[in-house]
Structure formats: structure tokens, C-alpha cells
Amino acid sequence: MGYLLEEGTHEIESAGKFVDIDGVRYYRTGDLGYWRTDGRLELLGRMDSQVKILGKRVELSEISSTALTHRLVARAVAILAPPLDAKSTKASTAELPAGARPSQKKSGRLVLFVEPRGFPTGAPGASVRQSKKRRALAGFEMVVRKYCARKLPRHMIPNAIKPEAKLPLTHSGKLDMKNLRRLARDVGWGSMGR
């Protein structure tokens, strides 16, 4: 089996994935690394946000970008959360949602944090207002879940979608990825991280 390409185009495509340095041919993997003084290669991680889920490469930014195409989404970021283990208080293996594959327990969970466009973010008010806010976020989560299910391949559909009235930002106004990764660890399977 191979790719359906015209005659000769395969060699051109493959050649673009290699680079020659000092007469040595290297393959461009997308990994970031450097040569140590002892001659060994030190790998630091990927240059992109690709992760492997169920044996398939998933670009996290593609999931975020897809969610952002919905008119009600102001900000979105997808994160690979660590797998839930038997010690977790959030979910056990018996609590896997319908449609989840058992191997996802080992490879981790895709968590999508989304911020609704135009959602009121005032100071916490009375419990009645907080209750309405929670219901509004739950409805928003279902809208985003259905949208992602229509637009993304099955293996890229987030296991959990966590709407936040306001996503955490750093002092410079960028998404606070460190804080989001910490929050993602606490998100269980399914709706609103429950």
C-alpha cells in the first residue's frame, strides 16, 4: 500500500522532509533538540503541539482552531491531560463514558477549555445568579460538544469540554498554559468535567 500520488511526486514530497548538514542527511521529525558537547543528541520535545492518542497523531491546535470557528466561542485551548487511574477521585474505569475506548485510560484524555463569547464575567453574585451561570455554561458545553463531533474525526473529539466564564491569562495577556494543565488534571470524563 502507498499514497495515491502522481508519478514522481512522492520523491519530491519525501525530499522536503530531509535536510543536509555538512554532508549528512537528517530527517525533519518536528522534535526540538540540540547536540551535547559529548556528541549525544538531547531531545527537548516537539516544536508543535502534536500528541499521540490511540496510535494516531493529533495536533492540539487543530482541535482548538475548530472550536474557535463556532460563533459562540471566544477562546479555546485543547490539552492532553494525564490518564485517570484507579486512585483518581474523579473517575474510575467503570465510569468511562459511552463511546470511550478503554485504551484511552492509558494514553490520556483530550480536554478542551472554552470561553464563551459575550458571557458576563462579573463578580460572583447570589446563589441564584450562580445557578443560572452554571446552567448557561452546561448548555454552552453541549453546543460545543455537538459542534466538535460534527467537525472533527472521532479520535480528535475531546473527552471532556470544560467551559470557563474566563480562561486564565498570564500577566502579559497570553493563555496561562501552566494553570490550564493543572486544571486539566482535575477534569474527569464527559460533561463539564464531572
Side-chain angles (χ1 to χ4, degrees):
M1 296 295 276
Y3 294 99
L4 293 174
L5 296 172
E6 292 180 20
E7 186 82 20
T9 58
H10 183 65
E11 290 79 17
I12 295 168
E13 259 187 35
S14 293
K17 296 181 181 178
F18 289 89
V19 62
D20 289 317
I21 300 174
D22 297 329
V24 179
R25 195 169 194 193
Y26 295 96
Y27 182 74
R28 295 178 191 259
T29 63
D31 294 318
L32 180 63
Y34 66 96
W35 292 105
R36 294 171 33 149
T37 55
D38 62 4
R40 293 189 327 178
L41 182 62
E42 181 79 24
L43 294 176
L44 301 173
R46 294 203 50 90
M47 292 189 312
D48 54 18
S49 60
Q50 272 191 6
V51 296
K52 206 165 193 180
I53 297 285
L54 303 172
K56 297 180 180 179
R57 289 246 174 241
V58 173
E59 181 69 49
L60 294 175
S61 61
E62 189 175 337
I63 297 169
S64 303
S65 296
T66 298
L68 283 169
T69 62
H70 193 285
R71 63 182 175 81
L72 297 178
V73 176
R75 287 193 178 115
V77 63
I79 293 177
L80 180 66
L84 294 172
D85 57 22
K87 298 175 192 170
S88 174
T89 58
K90 290 289 182 184
S92 69
T93 56
E95 295 176 355
L96 285 175
R101 292 151 318 273
S103 57
Q104 286 177 304
K105 293 181 294 188
K106 297 177 186 167
S107 62
R109 300 161 293 125
L110 288 173
V111 177
L112 178 66
F113 288 95
V114 288
E115 179 182 314
R117 186 176 309 283
F119 195 80
T121 57
S127 60
V128 174
R129 289 203 332 245
Q130 289 298 333
S131 171
K132 286 182 180 179
K133 188 177 189 180
R134 178 126 176 101
R135 282 196 307 271
L137 287 175
F140 176 70
E141 182 264 340
M142 286 307 298
V143 167
V144 174
R145 177 175 301 287
K146 288 177 182 178
Y147 185 77
C148 288
R150 279 195 323 269
K151 299 285 186 179
L152 293 168
R154 185 173 180 218
H155 68 279
M156 291 176 68
I157 297 172
N159 302 110
I161 297 176
K162 182 78 169 86
E164 295 283 341
K166 198 82 171 148
L167 290 178
L169 302 176
T170 63
H171 294 293
S172 61
K174 297 178 183 176
L175 285 173
D176 187 348
M177 296 305 291
K178 185 177 179 181
N179 193 13
L180 286 169
R181 283 188 197 93
R182 184 185 53 77
L183 291 171
R185 284 194 305 263
D186 297 331
V187 173
W189 291 97
S191 176
M192 293 192 65
R194 282 181 260 150

